[in-house]
Every structure is written in structure tokens, then in C-alpha cells.
Amino acid sequence: MKILVCIKQVPDMESKFKVDAAGTWYDNADLAWRMNEYDEYAVEQAVQLKEQAGEGDITVLSIGPDKVKEAMKKALAMGCDRGVHVSDDAVSSKEPYQIASIIAAFAGDKGFDVIFTGLQSQDRGSGQVGVLVGELLGLPSVTTVVDFNMEGDSVTAKRELEGGIRAVVKVATPALFTCQLGLNTPRYPTLPNIMKAKKKELLTIPVADLLDVDPRQQTAALFFPEKKGGGLVLEGEVGDLADQLVQILKEKTTVLS
Amino acid sequence: MKALLVAEYRDGQLLGSYQELIGFARQLGADCSMFLVGSGSALPAFEGTLYLADAAQVGDYNPDVHKQLLLSVIEQEQPDYIVFLHSSYGWDLAPRVACSLKASQISEVVEIKDGTMVVPVCNAKLRRQVTPNTQVTVLTLQAGAFGLAEPPTGSPEVKEVSTDAVGPITFTGYEAAEAGGVDLSKSEVIVSAGRGVGKPENVSIIEDLASALGGDYGASRPVVDSEWVEHNRQVGTTGQTVAPKLYVACGISGAIQHLAGMKKSEFIVAVNTDKDAPIGEVADVLVVADLKQFIPALTEKIKGG
């Protein structure tokens, strides 16, 4: 069984963001980077699928500058077998259709049985790439997956709908799945597996070899939202803060009376 | 300018979110028509053409069938915009339609600014103004971003549509949300734990404050996904919607799905180490502190009277 899992490296969302010089994306300097949270579930599901099947070969793919190899190494240490790094220093200016086209161009003749992606990225958050890859490859895609079970070439997946309701669907492979939070519990790579991952194949392909389409949209501007409301911000020593808050709760609410 | 609005229907019900689509179209100044796989006995209130496929005949959501129906309506209607909600339905269907039309898709629109769409970036810490390069644009709207002051009125002119398309994905049934046990909607005080609690042992800090305030404790999605708190205490889109007298959000960054479940609370206190966390947008008071130190100190003061 051939499995592809697509991952993205994103900044830690608690970072202090700045707008870049062009005014169209965040400044990449001074950020801590990690694997997109949704993609961790995708990697874990790929590894679990291989473990359950007792066989399989997992390719992890990521697009971006050299530093995305850090996220790929984590995926390899979690259990992916090989990495494909699509080298692109300008990845942040690529829109979802271009990203999907790059992945589809790579995957087109590889015969993957199962493809996993995250539901969305934490930074751009378009939620489009997985479905677009499926459409471009002519494969069925199942989104917002919170439960995955494969028997033979048939997958039963649960899709998360609003209000915690789940829709149960069946599909035959080859197929693509976009992973929602809570699908599984992503493992932490162990030290021996981190060491082993260093010896795994990590192929680099220049993005120009795979990208053959023009962007369908562009970013006109990136900016900070206007602060609405104007809630009170309290900072200082913990004991003082607790006193201040108790006073506020006494004045503004009835819960302490 | 023409907009085709894609309303939603699930398990025998027309979803009220169709009103947000109309609110958006009015702001955009577009003429609108609507598409619905639903029922003639639950029609949206709206003046215009409604392309209606019968859910009883079409069956529950099947992406390929809905895509084919929608493409045939688009062919007739020739809209400039095709507008979905940024919901599980829109998430799934919009990119399929955009791909077939070779159209640009702009996801999770929160605002129209100078005629162009604005979307959130990085957990709503930033905003992005996006311009399409294509004639036709597919949009998904953030839930709650475009409301109407008054519910819409009128009755649509119904045009029935049908298809014999089938797809490779088979729907086999719905699974209900885990049965409750804790009904947070009745609580006057809710103290909720977010990812900032750090580890499961720290949930007791949150429980202690809730108990000192005579309330209940809840949690955000990541804490429930990590199984530190049971699902029947989850606040947000996929959990419960609450509006207590006091809501204390501890270590919760404020993803839109969480905000949607608690922003109507009468008084909101947020405790977070990140001063820029989006929870600050809805909080009456933001305490910038480590909850592991601050919450026990607060609990002591409250117990001490």
C-alpha cells in the first residue's frame, strides 16, 4: 500500500506577528516554526494505517524553503518512510490552487492508494488544498475526518458536522482524506526514531519542475484587525491581579454577592 | 453583479444560516438567487429564484451529486459569485465547485472592504484582503460575520432541479453527538480550560475556581481532544453554546469556533499569557498572566471572601 501525507510548516500561533515589507504576508523573521497541527493528525493516521495493515510505504511531502525539512524530519521520526521536499522559497505567495497543483503534479503517476492532508493550515486556513488535490487527481475526497477505518480497499470514515454530529461515509481507495483535530493522538517521536529518521531518504525537487499554473487569486494587503470593544487589560503581579479582578467582579457582576 | 447563494438543509431542517448569505449579498449589492437541496415544505424566506432539488430524492449529502446539481444551476444562472457558509458543507463542497469552474475560491470571508474580500490569517490575529484573478469567484463566509437586522421576508420563485449523478462516496448514516450529562447552558458561571492549562493534572485548578464561584467547568476543543476533559463539557461550535453571567476563559486563545459558543456570555474574563490572543476581542477583562499561578491565587481570594 502506498500512502502520501502532505504537511505544511507554520509559525507557532502564539508568536508575535509582524507584517512583511511588501505588506502582503507576515514577516518570517523571529518566529518559532512547527508542523501544522492538523497535519500531525494526518501523519499519525498514515503511520497507524501502515501499522494496522502490517505493510505500506509512506511518503511525506512538504513545500517550502529548506527549513520545512525540520517538520518533515518530525514526520519521518513519527514513522513516515521517505520525504519529498518541494523546494520553494516563495511558498507563502502561492495560493491554494497552485499548492494543490504542485502536489497533484507530483502524485499524478505515483499510484498512491491513500492520501492524507490536514483539514486546513493554521496560518492561511483556506481549507481548500486537500479537496483540490483530490479533484485534480480525479480521486474521491472525504473532508473533516474524525474517525478512519480501512478494511481491504474500503474505508469507513466519520465526518464531523456542526453540533458534534458525525456523518458516516464509505469509499473505496484510492481516495484522499482531510484530517480534523481529534482524529487520533499524534505520537511524540522517540529518540531512537529521531536518529533513524536521519537516515531516511529525503528527496528535493525544485518547485519549477512541478508548478505549471498561474495564480487564481492574490493578496492585496495583510493587516491587523481593528481592536473592537476595548476590554480592560490587566498586567502585573499575580496577587494584585487577583485583588483587582475580585473587585471588578463585585462591581460588574452578581456572582460574588 | 449576480450572486448564487448556497443554502443548507440537514436531517429534515432548513438551516437558518441562509439569512447570513442574504445579509452578505445585500452588503455586496448583488442580485441573488439561491440553491438548496431541501424540501418544498421548508422554504427560505427570500425574494428571487430558488433552485430546489428534493432532498428526499437526492438523499443525504453526497459531494458529487451536489456538485453536479450546482454546476447545472450555475450554467443557467451565470453568477459572478457562488456563496457558501464556511461550514462543514461549504468546506467540503466549495473547492469542488471552484475546481470544476476553474474559479478562485476565497475562504472564510469576514468582511467586505472597498469591494474586496477580507479573510482571517493565523487564528484571526491578522486579516488579509484577497483579490481574485478569475471572472467567477467562489466564497465561503465565516459563520456569524454577516447577519441581518430583520429576518428576510418574501417567498421565492421555485425552479426544481434534479440529477441522476452518483458518486464514489456512500453516506451510511448520522451519529448523534455524545449524549450530554452536563448541561452548561443552565450554568450561571462557567470556568473553561484551554490548551494553556498545559497538562491534565492542571484541570483541577480550573475545577477549583469553578467550584469556588458556585459554577461549572468547561473546556475548549484541544483540551477535549486530548481527553483531559470529557466531550460533554466542550464549549464551541462542536460542543455547547453557553451564555452564563460570568465566563472565565483560562488559557484559551479564542478560535472562532470557541468564540461562537460563548461570546454571548454577560461578562467575560480571559486569562492568557498572550496579550494579543483573539479571546481579547470578546473579553471584558483580559488578565495577562500564567493561569497556573493566577487562578489558584484568585480561587484563594474568592474563598477568603
Side-chain angles (χ1 to χ4, degrees):
Chain A
M1 178 167 43
K2 289 182 75 178
I3 305 167
L4 174 66
V5 53
C6 306
I7 68 169
K8 181 175 184 180
Q9 189 187 43
V10 297
D12 189 302
M13 289 302 130
E14 295 199 2
S15 304
K16 186 102 188 144
F17 289 99
K18 284 181 284 206
V19 177
D20 70 7
T24 54
W25 198 240
Y26 54 76
D27 189 340
N28 281 337
D30 304 324
L31 294 173
W33 297 82
R34 49 167 293 169
M35 193 193 305
N36 179 44
E37 195 179 1
Y38 296 83
D39 303 345
E40 291 189 358
Y41 292 92
V43 171
E44 176 63 30
Q45 201 58 47
V47 176
Q48 284 188 14
L49 178 57
K50 178 180 168 178
E51 287 170 350
Q52 284 154 10
E55 62 91 21
D57 188 272
I58 309 171
T59 300
V60 57
L61 177 149
S62 192
I63 307 170
D66 272 352
K67 69 176 159 58
V68 306
K69 288 183 188 167
E70 293 307 314
M72 299 182 71
K73 281 175 185 160
K74 181 175 180 186
L76 292 170
M78 286 171 75
C80 294
D81 296 293
R82 63 197 70 250
V84 171
H85 168 223
V86 180
S87 172
D88 183 4
D89 288 340
V91 69
S92 60
S93 65
K94 301 286 187 301
E95 51 94 19
Y97 170 65
Q98 290 179 297
I99 296 292
S101 299
I102 293 166
I103 297 169
F106 168 76
D109 59 353
K110 304 290 189 300
F112 291 108
D113 300 289
V114 181
I115 302 177
F116 292 107
T117 71
L119 167 67
Q120 62 180 345
S121 61
Q122 290 173 279
D123 56 354
R124 194 182 275 260
S126 80
Q128 296 176 31
V129 172
V131 180
L132 291 176
V133 170
E135 293 293 298
L136 292 171
L137 291 174
L139 295 180
S141 57
V142 179
T143 62
T144 53
V145 172
V146 288
D147 193 76
F148 179 95
N149 188 27
M150 183 164 170
E151 279 182 38
D153 67 351
S154 169
V155 174
T156 302
K158 294 178 186 169
R159 301 186 54 230
E160 184 181 73
L161 311 180
E162 286 69 21
I165 299 167
R166 293 160 172 207
V168 186
V169 300
K170 265 194 183 352
V171 65
T173 58
L176 182 147
F177 301 86
T178 80
C179 302
Q180 168 66 303
L181 305 177
L183 167 62
N184 49 43
T185 308
R187 69 194 67 192
Y188 291 100
T190 61
L191 190 58
N193 285 340
I194 292 170
M195 301 310 289
K196 261 197 267 176
K198 291 186 177 169
K199 297 199 183 74
K200 290 181 178 174
E201 181 192 324
L202 212 171
L203 179 74
T204 295
I205 303 176
V207 69
D209 290 2
L210 297 171
L211 178 66
D212 191 24
V213 299
D214 293 325
R216 289 182 175 170
Q217 59 183 253
Q218 52 217 6
T219 301
L222 188 88
F223 54 94
F224 287 93
E226 282 171 38
K227 289 274 176 207
K228 283 180 219 150
L232 184 63
V233 177
L234 299 180
E235 291 179 271
E237 191 270 320
V238 163
D240 294 343
L241 289 174
D243 283 332
Q244 287 179 55
L245 184 59
V246 167
Q247 200 54 43
I248 291 168
L249 293 179
K250 281 181 177 163
E251 286 167 15
K252 304 274 187 182
T253 76
T254 54
V255 301
L256 289 182
S257 54
Chain B
M1 188 170 20
K2 285 167 79 172
L4 176 65
L5 312 179
V6 183
E8 298 184 33
Y9 178 91
R10 185 181 309 134
D11 226 1
Q13 303 283 328
L14 171 71
L15 304 192
S17 54
Y18 82 87
Q19 299 190 9
E20 297 179 27
L21 301 169
I22 296 174
F24 171 82
R26 284 197 191 151
Q27 266 197 42
L28 191 65
D31 296 329
C32 46
S33 53
M34 197 178 286
F35 169 80
L36 173 69
V37 178
S39 159
S41 61
L43 291 178
F46 146 79
E47 289 293 349
T49 305
L50 173 70
Y51 294 89
L52 179 71
D54 185 3
Q57 182 245 319
V58 171
D60 285 273
Y61 176 58
N62 179 313
D64 297 276
V65 175
H66 284 225
K67 181 177 81 174
Q68 289 310 325
L69 285 166
L70 200 39
L71 290 175
S72 70
V73 170
I74 291 163
E75 178 76 33
Q76 290 178 55
E77 193 61 25
Q78 298 286 324
D80 303 286
Y81 292 95
I82 298 128
V83 191
F84 297 81
L85 261 302
H86 196 65
S87 59
S88 61
Y89 183 72
W91 250 333
D92 194 89
L93 186 55
R96 300 176 198 270
V97 172
C99 197
S100 294
L101 296 172
K102 298 185 166 38
S104 169
Q105 180 185 333
I106 303 173
S107 303
E108 204 180 355
V109 176
V110 291
E111 187 191 345
I112 306 170
K113 187 176 176 184
D114 311 325
T116 58
M117 304 304 151
V118 176
V119 301
V121 178
C122 293
N123 194 15
K125 282 193 165 183
L126 290 157
R127 295 266 189 276
R128 198 163 67 90
Q129 203 172 353
V130 189
T131 48
N133 299 337
T134 53
Q135 286 295 316
V136 179
T137 307
V138 171
L139 304 173
T140 65
L141 309 182
Q142 186 181 82
F146 297 91
L148 280 174
E150 298 281 323
T153 54
S155 47
E157 183 204 337
V158 176
K159 284 191 186 169
E160 288 180 12
V161 290
S162 63
T163 178
D164 47 16
V166 287
I169 298 170
T170 313
F171 170 86
T172 65
Y174 290 112
E175 247 185 39
E178 280 171 55
V182 189
D183 182 4
L184 294 175
S185 67
K186 304 278 193 299
S187 308
E188 296 208 333
V189 177
I190 298 170
V191 184
S192 275
R195 199 196 296 270
V197 298
K199 51 184 179 182
E201 297 87 274
N202 291 336
V203 173
S204 64
I205 298 173
I206 308 302
E207 288 183 53
D208 289 347
L209 176 61
S211 138
L213 287 165
D216 292 299
Y217 71 98
S220 69
R221 174 166 201 148
V223 173
V224 171
D225 282 342
S226 303
E227 297 178 358
W228 300 350
V229 170
E230 56 273 42
H231 178 265
N232 59 23
R233 290 183 184 272
Q234 184 177 320
V235 174
T237 318
T238 50
Q240 302 189 46
T241 300
V242 300
K245 287 185 175 167
L246 173 65
Y247 189 91
V248 186
C250 307
I252 294 175
S253 65
I256 175 72
Q257 293 82 358
H258 188 77
L259 300 186
M262 48 63 75
K263 66 183 177 192
K264 292 195 175 136
S265 304
E266 283 178 35
F267 199 81
I268 298 171
V269 175
V271 181
N272 210 300
T273 49
D274 181 3
K275 197 176 171 178
D276 301 319
I279 191 78
E281 290 278 308
V282 300
D284 296 284
V285 179
L286 171 63
V287 179
V288 183
D290 183 343
L291 70 93
K292 294 183 283 298
Q293 273 104 49
F294 175 75
I295 299 295
L298 178 65
T299 306
E300 280 312 304
K301 303 268 184 210
I302 288 167
K303 279 185 180 166

